[in-house]
Amino acid sequence: MSPAVRTSRSLVWAGVMVFVVAVGLVLLMVVRPSAASPAGSGAASAVPAEGSADVGFARDMSVHHQQAVEMAFLVRDRTDDDDVRRLAYDIINTQANQRGMMLGWLESWDRPKSSDRPPMEWMGHPVTPSDGSLMPGMATDTELDRLRAADGKDAEVLFLRLMTVHHRAGADMARAAAGAAGTDEIRSLAAGMARAQESEISLMADMLKARGAQP
């Protein structure tokens, strides 16, 4: 057999193998249940409903996190204290990353990132926003203006107090989601979020005590 014929046949067989592998992968994706859905359920069941705890938590906590990141940036630029700046960086990095994850899940579920539904409705007790505070624990516009105007130790104490209240409400929301969500993604993230924020609440209590202030 000539080299040209052997080469031609090799290319043909290679093409056949690529086709077989491609078909196998497609069939695997079609037949295999989604990792996010219960065994034996259809793909549609993996998408949380609009009124679910999963969607409500992802949407509300994204807003909650956004304000925490904003406050952390504010205090970072108003103090030279290494401990406070380190805490601010941790909050910025952690909560911005978590917010991105939650918004990504909303996108993948084809759910809007914002809604006219009252905040916290998924928890069974919707709230009415007041002075820019959209949910429990969130700072009001007046409090944010005070933080913007503060400097040094005053900024540190105000930030630590506001963030303690923010974290307490956030941890409550996260615990509720960990118990009520239907997806592993939200349950896992929410449980970890509650533990981390409780730990930071203890840290901030110590930092306030070191500055002669109460939470």
Side-chain angles (χ1 to χ4, degrees):
M1 185 182 299
S2 68
V5 173
R6 285 198 300 270
T7 300
S8 177
R9 288 188 176 180
S10 296
L11 290 174
V12 170
W13 276 109
V16 170
M17 292 303 296
V18 169
F19 176 79
V20 170
V21 171
V23 170
L25 289 174
V26 170
L27 290 174
L28 181 62
M29 287 187 292
V30 172
V31 174
R32 183 184 179 186
S34 168
S37 58
S41 64
S45 64
V47 178
E50 171 61 25
S52 66
D54 305 75
V55 171
F57 174 77
R59 189 179 285 146
D60 287 349
M61 190 57 87
S62 293
V63 175
H64 217 263
H65 273 17
Q66 184 177 11
Q67 189 187 71
V69 170
E70 178 185 359
M71 289 195 294
F73 271 119
L74 286 174
V75 78
R76 184 202 64 176
D77 297 335
R78 285 159 177 78
T79 180
D80 293 326
D81 185 89
D82 288 339
D83 291 336
V84 174
R85 288 174 64 87
R86 188 178 301 111
L87 174 62
Y89 278 119
D90 286 345
I91 290 172
I92 291 167
N93 292 330
T94 300
Q95 299 209 11
N97 180 58
Q98 291 174 344
R99 182 172 183 270
M101 292 169 61
M102 291 183 289
L103 292 177
W105 287 330
L106 288 171
E107 181 75 24
S108 69
W109 297 334
D110 196 26
R111 302 300 179 199
K113 298 180 180 64
S114 60
S115 172
D116 293 334
R117 304 171 79 99
M120 315 295 288
E121 186 180 56
W122 60 274
M123 286 182 66
H125 47 81
V127 297
T128 301
S130 175
D131 190 20
S133 176
L134 304 179
M135 280 168 273
M138 291 186 68
T140 64
D141 289 342
T142 301
E143 289 169 332
L144 290 176
D145 286 342
R146 286 176 55 206
L147 183 57
R148 292 187 185 97
D151 195 16
K153 181 181 175 181
D154 289 342
E156 296 164 16
V157 170
L158 180 55
F159 167 77
L160 291 168
R161 284 174 170 165
L162 291 176
M163 192 58 74
T164 295
V165 174
H166 204 276
H167 270 21
R168 282 176 181 158
D172 287 344
M173 194 192 312
R175 282 190 291 268
T183 62
D184 290 339
E185 294 93 330
I186 292 295
R187 283 195 298 266
S188 177
L189 177 66
M193 203 179 283
R195 289 192 298 268
Q197 295 200 9
E198 289 289 355
S199 176
E200 286 187 346
I201 288 170
S202 297
L203 171 63
M204 290 188 290
D206 291 341
M207 294 172 74
L208 282 167
K209 184 178 179 180
R211 288 161 177 78
Q214 296 295 321

